[in-house]
Amino acid sequence: MTYDYIIVGAGSAGCVLAHRLSENPRTRVLLLEAGGRDWHPFIHMPAGLAKLVSNKSVNWDYYTEPEPQLQNRRLWWPRGKVLGGSSSINAMCYIRGDARDYDEWAELAGDPRWRWDAVLPSFRRSECNTRGASELHGGDGPLCVSDLRHTNPLSQAVIDAATSLGHTPNPDFNGPSQAGFGYYQVTQKDGARCSMAAGYLRSIRGRRNLTVLTRATTERVLLSGTRATGVKFLHRGVSRTAEGGEVILAGGAINSPQLLMLSGVGPADALRSHGIAVSHDLAGVGENLQDHLDVCTLVRCTQSITYDRTNDIAIALQFLLRRSGIGTSNIAEAGGFLRSRLATDERCDVQFHFVPALLDDHGRNRLPGFGYTLHACVLRPRSRGHLRLRSANPADKPLLQPLYLSDPEGDDLRRMVEAARISREILAQKPFDKYRGDEIFPGTGAATQADLEAFIRRKAESIYHPIGTCRMGRDPMAVVDPELRVHGLEGLRVIDASVMPNLPGGNTNAPTAMIAERACDFILHKDAAAAAA
């Protein structure tokens, strides 16, 4: 098995890479995915995401280690284990972040090729926005971005409530300004989910130069001296090897650093502690772990118009026959961005997702009655964690320690309290008067700063945006260079959310696709600056 490119992971980045790198019919590409095919019907019906919550057949089902600042709770981290990766199980919100996020990336990476004006063409090349092409949007890319076909009256209420407080109505969070409230555009096509597998992979499965293997768990990268020569993987119970001109890790912020360390690439002392021979001492592997922590305000609804109790059969039939109705909803239909009074620069620092249902413990704890939920997360937390191997066994899940709220100054906790306060303020406005029942969380008894701090420590959860564990840069703790090549090794790149130096201001799926598009420019020398470097 010899290939020009071996891509490990068919998630958001891997699907993009497989599509672009196999465009040349003379180039042989192997795509390895530990999960299965994206056959499950709930993947393709957007509202089916609520039914995928506990489906371990498409989910890595990770948990963090006990978090010291969150009452030693172990937080759940669902990650997609299926073609399309997390883009096959997420809420489909298409968000790029603030343009200044990428200028900051360029500064941290030490390379202007990651500035906003340099990455915008990659965003546009990826996107097929049903509103049409524009200076900021693509019109013919593989990833379809659409307006929602169905929305709940409560979603309009949250928009009206926020704008009654003076926040700007915003029809396009990826437009000239991110600030304001409105409906999310979603990665959907004709009312169905457009995962990265649906957008980038489905149309090219007939390419003879592309081999896609599912149920293929990569166990290590094969190295000859300082060059990556291939991978060893377990395919449906059979151990196999593949050789490649270039190996690309696209397993995400958890699997990519794990695989590097299993291959002997990482902090030398940590590797030796597990009996792993050190091939390349690289201290930054697994460091710089970041995630968006989320606080939810839950309120009972006096009307039975929420998504808490629905006729699932009727919803499925309407979706299958007409591609309409609740089945086309991403559930988190509306939301917004704002700059709080604690913001440290001109960017929005808080994001909201509104759900017209009671969503406790990621929806795994079904509460009685009807209600609605407003999620709020601080977009640029200062806390940093790490990832470690549990053992040298590839089947053992790594140790995840994001260390939420651990920044020494306590800014992250203060901002989380502010986010919870603003959530309450929005839900207290007149547009909710005819719907508002009792507040479930934080609860009417939570009135002081200390009360809200205690609530956050007791109930805050991840909103599923881990990044940064193989960050790009030129300093000693960087794992990859600005062209995403692993420092000190040849023929090995990491291309996924793990290379992000900092969290972008929003959801991470669209930026991950952009990273893969941008990396293909470097690999194929389509970027003039890259070719000259």
Side-chain angles (χ1 to χ4, degrees):
M1 298 179 67
T2 304
Y3 300 87
D4 296 286
Y5 301 103
I6 299 173
I7 304 165
V8 180
S12 294
C15 289
V16 176
L17 293 165
H19 184 109
R20 298 302 185 196
L21 296 179
S22 66
E23 286 178 336
N24 182 345
R26 295 186 298 276
T27 300
R28 298 189 66 200
V29 178
L30 173 65
L31 178 63
L32 300 173
E33 169 54 40
R37 297 193 181 276
D38 55 339
W39 60 267
H40 201 294
F42 286 150
I43 289 176
H44 305 289
M45 182 176 77
L49 68 93
K51 305 294 184 181
L52 293 173
V53 169
S54 300
N55 190 328
K56 294 183 181 180
S57 69
V58 297
N59 187 348
W60 283 97
D61 195 41
Y62 290 117
Y63 282 85
T64 71
E65 294 304 291
E67 277 294 292
Q69 300 300 321
L70 297 176
Q71 298 186 350
N72 285 317
R73 291 184 293 124
R74 299 180 69 223
L75 274 61
W76 186 51
W77 278 18
R79 309 305 298 156
K81 188 180 182 181
V82 63
L83 287 181
S86 295
S87 74
S88 290
I89 65 171
N90 69 1
M92 293 155 277
C93 297
Y94 182 80
I95 296 293
R96 297 171 176 174
D98 192 291
R100 287 161 288 196
D101 295 335
Y102 301 97
D103 293 343
E104 184 176 78
W105 283 15
E107 183 177 352
L108 292 170
D111 196 305
R113 290 174 293 172
W114 290 100
R115 287 181 54 85
W116 170 247
D117 57 358
V119 303
L120 176 57
S122 297
F123 275 118
R124 295 184 71 249
R125 183 166 65 244
S126 170
E127 181 188 12
C128 179
N129 199 300
T130 55
R131 297 180 185 176
S134 69
E135 184 179 344
L136 293 174
H137 290 285
D140 57 2
L143 184 63
C144 190
V145 178
S146 308
D147 295 316
L148 285 160
R149 292 190 170 195
H150 176 92
T151 58
N152 189 284
L154 290 164
S155 296
Q156 185 60 51
V158 79
I159 298 170
D160 294 341
T163 54
S164 74
L165 288 168
H167 300 295
T168 307
N170 192 342
D172 184 5
F173 297 128
N174 303 294
S177 173
Q178 188 183 56
F181 282 74
Y183 291 107
Y184 284 106
Q185 279 205 299
V186 289
T187 48
Q188 293 182 11
K189 183 177 182 180
D190 299 327
R193 178 192 292 273
C194 184
S195 68
M196 295 298 177
Y200 276 90
L201 204 56
R202 186 180 296 165
S203 64
I204 64 164
R205 290 301 299 272
R207 289 180 181 172
R208 295 184 178 182
N209 62 327
L210 173 64
T211 301
V212 180
L213 297 182
T214 56
R215 308 293 180 191
T217 302
T218 304
E219 297 181 317
R220 62 187 173 95
V221 177
L222 302 176
L223 296 169
S224 177
T226 60
R227 172 169 283 280
T229 60
V231 296
K232 178 184 177 184
F233 63 100
L234 195 66
H235 183 227
R236 301 183 184 274
V238 178
S239 181
R240 303 174 67 178
T241 60
E243 296 179 353
E246 186 157 5
V247 176
I248 301 172
L249 306 189
I254 299 173
N255 298 114
S256 286
Q258 178 190 23
L259 185 55
L260 282 175
M261 289 188 278
L262 289 170
S263 307
V265 179
D269 290 343
L271 300 182
R272 293 189 187 104
S273 71
H274 293 295
I276 297 173
V278 178
S279 299
H280 183 50
D281 185 3
L282 201 55
V285 176
E287 299 299 320
N288 193 47
L289 178 59
Q290 302 169 47
D291 184 33
H292 285 139
L293 189 65
D294 183 62
V295 59
C296 289
T297 302
L298 277 66
V299 179
R300 295 202 182 278
C301 187
T302 58
Q303 299 185 31
S304 58
I305 61 171
T306 72
Y307 297 155
D308 291 290
R309 304 290 183 272
T310 55
N311 186 325
D312 293 344
I313 295 176
I315 289 171
L317 284 174
Q318 187 175 7
F319 173 76
L320 290 170
L321 297 175
R322 302 177 185 174
R323 285 293 190 269
S324 63
I326 296 173
T328 66
S329 171
N330 73 326
I331 310 300
E333 299 165 351
F337 297 81
L338 59 78
R339 184 176 181 275
S340 79
R341 60 189 179 185
L342 299 180
T344 57
D345 58 34
E346 296 304 312
R347 293 174 289 184
C348 293
D349 63 331
V350 182
Q351 180 182 7
F352 299 87
H353 295 83
F354 179 79
V355 175
L358 293 172
L359 202 69
D360 185 37
D361 188 22
H362 312 272
R364 298 183 297 177
N365 180 30
R366 192 78 178 271
L367 297 174
F370 301 91
Y372 44 89
T373 304
L374 186 56
H375 293 252
C377 70
V378 175
L379 290 174
R380 295 172 189 86
R382 297 183 177 180
S383 301
R384 299 290 184 269
H386 54 258
L387 177 151
R388 301 281 190 267
L389 288 180
R390 190 177 301 273
S391 74
N393 185 349
D396 287 344
K397 295 177 181 178
L399 302 171
L400 309 176
Q401 193 78 75
L403 296 176
Y404 297 109
L405 308 181
S406 64
D407 62 305
E409 295 80 16
D411 287 343
D412 288 352
L413 180 57
R414 281 191 291 273
R415 290 188 175 92
M416 289 292 290
V417 169
E418 179 69 0
R421 184 195 68 77
I422 296 170
S423 296
R424 278 178 149 179
E425 182 182 36
I426 292 171
L427 298 181
Q429 299 310 303
K430 186 175 180 179
F432 280 103
D433 286 354
K434 60 183 177 181
Y435 305 118
R436 189 184 308 106
D438 296 333
E439 183 181 271
I440 302 172
F441 297 126
T444 53
T448 67
Q449 174 93 2
D451 292 336
L452 289 177
E453 288 181 0
F455 165 67
I456 289 165
R457 294 187 190 280
R458 179 170 59 92
K459 292 293 290 183
E461 293 284 350
S462 170
I463 202 166
Y464 326 132
H465 298 157
I467 64 101
T469 47
C470 296
R471 71 169 176 85
M472 69 172 103
R474 302 183 187 275
D475 61 281
M477 289 301 291
V479 176
V480 297
D481 70 12
E483 291 193 18
L484 311 187
R485 299 169 295 201
V486 176
H487 282 299
L489 297 175
E490 298 176 83
L492 181 62
R493 298 188 201 234
V494 180
I495 302 173
D496 54 35
S498 70
V499 306
M500 298 180 184
N502 278 345
L503 276 161
N507 310 69
T508 52
N509 191 54
T512 299
M514 177 278 291
I515 287 171
E517 289 276 10
R518 193 78 184 105
C520 288
D521 290 340
F522 301 151
I523 294 170
L524 302 174
H525 302 293
K526 291 184 177 181
D527 183 283

